[in-house]
Amino acid sequence: MEKNPLEKYQEKRDFSKTPEPSKNKESQGKNSFVIQKHDASTLHYDFRLEINNILKSWAIPKGPSLNPKDKRLAIPTEDHPLNYIDFEGVIPEDRYGGGKVIVWDKGTYENTTKDENDKCIPIDKALKNGHITFWLNGKKLKGEYALIRTNIDKNKKWILVKMKDEKADRKSNVLVDKPSSVLSGRKIEELS
Ligand code: MN
């Protein structure tokens, strides 16, 4: 029998107590991504990439940056269902991940990972290799990023970094300048 890719996700949650989606939906045939701002026990940003009909996920304590000088720690978390792309709301405080969630940015991406001969590496293979590059077409984040696995803490730590391209921005702080949800226009403090 095929292993349920959402087993970990479902085990952690009681869907009679949380408004989060319980099951996966069909892919729209796009390579989607989402970044959720999540005010749990500590504020962080959850970065999720659609790969093989599931959302591969990383928690980024300091959030993404448009500045290529910033190396942002990214900690892998359990795979999420594709419907999670549009999840915004309040998870009860006594539940796993309890706290407010807004869709801080979403859009599509293009895999730009190449080998030394400039040949494209499929994204699932690149992920296993621990080194992926991709071009984001979001509302706030645009341009190429790299997500790289480090050997710190038994490979549990990855780094997200903006590549140098015309979308890089070394001056502004996108987290401060554009705090609101791209779905509802609300700030995270405005959820109740
Ligand atoms: Mn989270």
Side-chain angles (χ1 to χ4, degrees):
M1 226 175 77
E2 202 183 323
K3 194 174 166 283
N4 173 13
L6 289 174
E7 196 178 325
K8 268 194 195 156
Y9 173 87
Q10 290 164 343
E11 269 174 17
K12 286 172 186 280
R13 292 167 175 84
D14 175 350
F15 296 102
S16 67
K17 304 269 166 49
T18 176
E20 294 165 287
S22 61
K23 293 196 185 77
N24 212 1
K25 66 163 188 179
E26 289 268 308
S27 171
Q28 310 281 299
K30 294 177 200 149
N31 295 322
S32 302
F33 85 91
V34 66
I35 299 177
Q36 275 139 334
K37 186 176 181 181
H38 186 184
D39 194 6
S41 48
T42 54
L43 182 74
H44 61 273
Y45 292 76
D46 289 299
F47 180 58
R48 312 187 197 280
L49 278 179
E50 177 180 349
I51 295 177
N52 291 345
N53 213 32
I54 209 90
L55 293 177
K56 289 287 167 189
S57 300
W58 292 260
I60 305 178
K62 286 190 172 172
S65 173
L66 290 165
N67 189 338
K69 280 189 178 154
D70 293 333
K71 293 185 172 64
R72 294 290 158 86
L73 176 65
I75 301 154
T77 57
E78 76 276 14
D79 294 349
H80 277 52
L82 287 180
N83 336 20
Y84 216 92
I85 286 176
D86 292 313
F87 175 71
E88 180 165 299
V90 183
I91 301 168
E93 289 294 343
D94 60 339
R95 296 288 139 188
Y96 175 73
K100 297 172 179 178
V101 177
I102 60 165
V103 176
W104 182 79
D105 198 14
K106 63 182 272 192
T108 59
Y109 75 89
E110 291 151 48
N111 175 26
T112 58
T113 319
K114 301 231 167 61
D115 67 15
E116 60 273 21
N117 300 316
D118 219 28
K119 209 170 150 257
C120 188
I121 302 176
I123 190 89
D124 49 352
K125 189 165 178 244
L127 188 74
K128 282 200 185 105
N129 293 343
H131 192 136
I132 60 179
T133 60
F134 44 87
W135 185 281
L136 293 183
N137 304 298
K139 293 208 165 81
K140 298 173 185 175
L141 298 189
K142 295 176 198 296
E144 195 175 29
Y145 281 80
L147 195 50
I148 300 150
R149 187 169 60 212
T150 72
N151 53 18
I152 307 161
D153 257 9
K154 293 179 182 158
N155 301 336
K156 281 194 197 110
K157 290 187 174 160
W158 293 55
I159 295 291
L160 177 72
V161 65
K162 178 80 193 71
M163 307 290 276
K164 291 174 185 167
D165 56 36
E166 74 272 18
K167 304 293 184 189
D169 180 346
R170 290 162 183 82
K171 292 196 182 84
S172 61
N173 181 338
V174 69
L175 304 177
V176 173
D177 296 346
K178 298 178 178 173
S180 304
S181 163
V182 296
L183 271 191
S184 64
R186 295 181 294 183
K187 295 196 177 86
I188 200 160
E189 308 83 64
E190 291 166 357
L191 292 197
S192 56

